Amino acid sequence: METIKPIKTEQDYELALKKLETIFHARPNTSEGDVLEILSLLVHEYEQKHHKIELLSPLEALKYEMEEQGLSQIGLAKRVGMSKSTISEIINGKKQMSLNFMKFLHNELGIPAHILLAY
């Protein structure tokens, strides 16, 4: 079995990611599968300390999903059954999202509920 070392530097992290790519499809309960499991834990721990990802605000998540799905304000307004001016007010932070609007964003656009309820 190969030697696994702690991830202490960014270079160690990059090497661990490259190794993970090569063994990503390893079968569980094999020596390669064990390496995958241990290395994944080490990478996760390093990322939690050094690459913490901040959650998006509900508004940032909405803008991101609109861009990803190619939705304009008009397109979103039509899908949700609101006026374009109401959507514009929400996007510009002048109006808060209603509970029904958040449910739509969660169910129809796939925005996680914990993000929508974060603020």
Side-chain angles (χ1 to χ4, degrees):
M1 184 163 173
E2 80 184 75
T3 304
I4 299 174
K5 300 184 298 186
I7 300 172
K8 296 178 182 178
T9 66
E10 197 65 22
Q11 184 178 4
D12 292 342
Y13 173 70
E14 293 297 326
L15 289 171
L17 289 178
K18 286 180 183 171
K19 179 63 180 174
L20 279 176
E21 283 181 30
T22 65
I23 61 172
F24 186 73
H25 296 290
R27 292 179 174 262
N29 302 317
T30 64
S31 61
E32 200 172 55
D34 291 346
V35 171
L36 174 64
E37 188 174 344
I38 293 167
L39 208 48
S40 296
L41 292 170
L42 292 172
V43 166
H44 177 73
E45 182 180 327
Y46 185 85
E47 288 175 343
Q48 289 298 306
K49 289 179 184 174
H50 302 283
H51 295 269
K52 191 85 171 163
I53 297 173
E54 296 297 321
L55 289 179
L56 296 176
S57 72
L59 204 48
E60 291 168 330
L62 171 58
K63 290 176 182 177
Y64 175 82
E65 278 304 320
M66 286 176 67
E67 186 176 320
E68 283 295 302
Q69 296 185 30
L71 268 177
S72 65
Q73 288 185 24
I74 293 170
L76 180 60
K78 285 180 184 176
R79 277 185 66 183
V80 75
M82 296 175 132
S83 69
K84 183 199 175 290
S85 62
T86 300
I87 296 296
S88 180
E89 288 175 335
I90 291 171
I91 288 175
N92 291 315
K94 295 179 182 176
K95 186 171 185 159
Q96 287 196 337
M97 295 179 191
S98 69
L99 184 57
N100 283 337
F101 185 64
M102 287 190 274
K103 285 180 181 177
F104 170 84
L105 296 177
H106 174 68
N107 293 328
E108 300 297 322
L109 299 187
I111 299 174
H114 72 275
I115 290 176
L116 294 169
L117 299 172
Y119 286 80

